Amino acid sequence: MKARPLSVLGAVEFSPASYPDDRGLFVSTFTEDEFTEAAGGPLFPVRQASVSVSRRGVVRGVHFTAVSPGTEKYVHCPRGTALDIVVDLRVGSPTFGTWDSVVLDARDFRAVYLPAGLGHAFVALEDDTVMSYLLSAGYVAAHELAVSVLDPELGLPLPHDITPVLSERDRQAVTLAEAAARDMLPRFNHSQENR
């Protein structure tokens, strides 16, 4: 397992080794020792595991949990291909407003770790793209917020050959500036206290 810090402080891409043979292949999408070394501590206690299935062009995000301590995520794509996007929404973070992206797919089995306070989005690049999430907190609708994936100030790398298919919630999401003005965003110091 190789780990690569992303340009968003605390976010990490993990690239596992795969072992193909005449039966297929074997891959470990998570290993505790490598995670602990790269993330500065063990994986959070998993409170929820979720899966989404999306057709090509579906864009989900930029989602985040506002309630302290927020939600940590470990995400990978066991089927299909997705452009996974991490956005630093933590007010006071040295990388506030910065984003990074990773192609997640069922060929390389990369995974992305997102500490609490980061925003998460992805674009399904092919039909039947499956995203698998390990989460440090259960879903509570009232605590889940979103910043617009189409915010021109963020300038997220949405593919030009895709017309984004958004949920009503994501179509109504505010810009990063509006979220900051409404005091909706997580605080960097709170996210650091819980890691």
Side-chain angles (χ1 to χ4, degrees):
M1 179 78 75
K2 294 179 182 174
R4 179 179 69 90
L6 298 179
S7 58
V8 173
L9 184 65
V12 182
E13 171 195 318
F14 292 92
S15 299
S18 63
Y19 303 95
D21 62 24
D22 60 346
R23 299 167 298 165
L25 72 84
F26 178 84
V27 65
S28 294
T29 58
F30 173 81
T31 55
E32 183 73 25
D33 290 345
E34 286 81 357
F35 181 89
T36 299
E37 183 177 335
L43 184 70
F44 49 83
V46 175
R47 302 285 190 248
Q48 182 172 318
S50 300
V51 169
S52 67
V53 181
S54 302
R55 64 183 169 95
R56 177 178 160 80
V58 167
V59 179
R60 299 181 191 256
V62 175
H63 298 155
F64 67 101
T65 307
V67 174
S68 183
T71 302
E72 295 176 72
K73 298 178 182 180
Y74 190 83
V75 183
H76 79 281
C77 178
R79 186 174 73 209
T81 306
L83 179 66
D84 199 68
I85 304 168
V86 179
V87 183
D88 195 342
L89 303 177
R90 303 166 297 183
V91 175
S93 168
T95 57
F96 176 76
T98 299
W99 60 264
D100 205 342
S101 64
V102 176
V103 173
L104 302 181
D105 59 36
R107 287 177 298 282
D108 296 319
F109 294 97
R110 289 183 198 93
V112 173
Y113 165 67
L114 294 88
L118 297 186
H120 180 244
F122 73 85
V123 182
L125 301 178
E126 57 185 89
D127 287 340
D128 295 319
T129 291
V130 174
M131 296 292 279
S132 176
Y133 312 78
L134 297 178
L135 306 162
S136 67
Y139 180 81
V140 178
H143 299 167
E144 298 299 320
L145 301 172
V147 168
S148 176
V149 72
L150 303 175
D151 181 351
E153 293 299 317
L154 285 176
L156 300 181
L158 303 182
H160 297 296
D161 64 337
I162 286 179
T163 300
V165 178
L166 302 172
S167 69
E168 182 61 26
R169 170 188 171 205
D170 290 343
R171 280 195 297 275
Q172 299 297 323
V174 298
T175 65
L176 181 62
E178 289 169 322
R182 294 180 188 182
D183 199 28
M184 294 170 50
L185 299 174
R187 303 272 181 244
F188 180 67
N189 59 340
H190 292 158
S191 67
Q192 296 303 293
E193 291 168 3
N194 295 295
R195 184 66 188 126

